[in-house]
């Protein structure tokens, strides 16, 4: 009798969820919720959260995942990097360089 080898667990893939695909239970605010901190005009009431169908289609294309870290971007092969990945990498590298410079030149 042949013994079956245990199956290797498949690497878990990150699911990317867009705005219109997010289950309502995970949606941060229910439609009709007043956004008090955004009421910046004296003559107008604060805006309220709308039904998802009332938002423009392009909003549904936005990805709702955290941006990649500098470490993740460093490991990303250059051929696979998008323009946004490259711009974020440069931004984070500059931030690190500024922090290091400030730490070195801090007056005690």
């Amino acid at each position: 009798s042949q013994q079956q080898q245990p199956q290797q667990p498949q690497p878990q893939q990150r699911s990317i969820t867009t705005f219109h695909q997010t289950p309502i239970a995970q949606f941060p605010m229910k439609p009709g919720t007043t956004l008090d901190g955004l009421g910046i005009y004296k003559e107008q009431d604060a805006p309220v959260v709308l039904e998802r169908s009332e938002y423009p289609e392009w909003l549904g294309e936005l990805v709702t995942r955290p941006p990649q870290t500098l470490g993740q971007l460093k490991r990303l092969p250059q051929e696979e990097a998008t323009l946004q990945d490259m711009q974020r990498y440069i931004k984070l590298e500059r931030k690190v360089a500024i922090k290091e410079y400030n730490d070195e030149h801090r007056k005690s």
Side-chain angles (χ1 to χ4, degrees), residues 75-103:
R75 291 188 299 273
L76 183 66
Q78 189 172 359
E79 306 82 46
E80 295 177 20
T82 64
L83 177 60
Q84 291 174 332
D85 290 334
M86 290 183 232
Q87 290 172 332
R88 179 156 173 79
Y89 175 80
I90 291 168
K91 177 183 176 180
L92 295 175
E93 279 290 327
R94 284 186 189 143
K95 203 172 187 179
V96 168
I98 290 168
K99 184 173 174 126
E100 288 173 356
Y101 177 86
N102 288 341
D103 287 344

Side-chain angles (χ1 to χ4, degrees), residues 3-11:
Q3 278 190 331
Q4 287 186 345
Q5 293 182 351
Q7 282 187 321
Q8 294 291 330
Q10 296 295 324

Side-chain angles (χ1 to χ4, degrees), residues 11-27:
Q12 190 173 13
Q13 292 184 349
R14 284 179 126 177
S15 64
I16 298 173
T17 305
T18 60
F19 178 77
H20 289 284
Q21 296 172 341
T22 305
I24 194 70
Q26 294 178 359
F27 199 53

Side-chain angles (χ1 to χ4, degrees), residues 18-19 22-31 33 35 49 52 64:
T18 60
F19 178 77
T22 305
I24 194 70
Q26 294 178 359
F27 199 53
M29 294 183 205
K30 292 184 173 35
T33 303
L35 303 170
V49 176
R52 286 193 228 177
T64 57

